[in-house]
Amino acid sequence: MKLFVDTSVWSLAVRRDTPEARPEVDGLRRALEDGDLVFTTGLVLQELLQGLRGPKAAQMIVERFATLPLVTPGRDDHIEAAGLRNDCRRRGMQITTIDALLAQLCIRHELVMLTTDADFARIAKVRPLEVWGA
């Protein structure tokens, strides 16, 4: 499986002294143990690093993420993400700009979104986004 892990799951898994017991965190752990491909993007790394206390915690995150394949949005991804967000808004769903872009990256690269954010399940009703556990 090719998995994209949202900030919501990474935060539960790596920012706390002991990872929170959630199915999504267990899914991430299993994927890493099984050698599944786990992707990230700069926005997720940035979100995790923001608000950390001390350089030790930041360095640990940077080191862990150094081994993950990085998907980088291009011009077309931003255009498609804007269209996705507009489609959602027309259907009465408010999603963030970042969530629209992350969903678009998953769609383009055929990645399964692992998240605790319910907005992605709503996005999946509008576009062909595969959400883990859904």
Side-chain angles (χ1 to χ4, degrees):
M1 176 185 330
K2 292 175 17 177
L3 201 60
F4 183 94
V5 182
D6 182 39
T7 308
S8 62
V9 177
W10 282 116
S11 182
L12 293 171
V14 301
R15 281 181 135 182
R16 303 175 190 274
D17 293 336
T18 56
E20 190 168 318
R22 295 278 304 254
E24 297 86 358
V25 174
D26 291 340
L28 171 58
R29 181 185 45 76
R30 279 192 309 276
L32 293 170
E33 289 172 357
D34 293 347
D36 290 342
L37 288 175
V38 176
F39 291 80
T40 195
T41 192
L43 287 170
V44 171
L45 177 58
Q46 180 180 339
E47 286 182 322
L48 281 174
L49 291 171
Q50 292 173 167
L52 286 177
R53 292 192 180 112
K56 246 183 172 175
Q59 187 59 35
M60 183 269 300
I61 298 244
V62 168
E63 287 173 6
R64 284 187 179 182
F65 271 63
T67 62
L68 300 179
L70 190 72
V71 291
T72 304
R75 180 185 310 265
D76 288 342
D77 292 309
H78 291 284
I79 293 167
E80 289 296 321
L84 185 156
R85 189 166 187 265
N86 290 339
D87 286 348
C88 287
R89 189 177 60 235
R90 279 192 286 279
R91 290 179 167 92
M93 295 182 275
Q94 294 298 320
I95 63 169
T96 68
T97 299
I98 290 176
D99 285 354
L101 183 57
L102 297 181
Q104 170 55 31
L105 288 173
C106 287
I107 292 165
R108 178 167 67 103
H109 293 282
E110 298 179 345
L111 305 173
V112 176
M113 171 64 79
L114 176 58
T115 185
T116 62
D117 185 341
D119 284 345
F120 290 104
R122 289 189 280 279
I123 293 169
K125 293 177 183 176
V126 176
R127 295 284 172 92
L129 173 65
E130 187 176 351
V131 179
W132 185 89

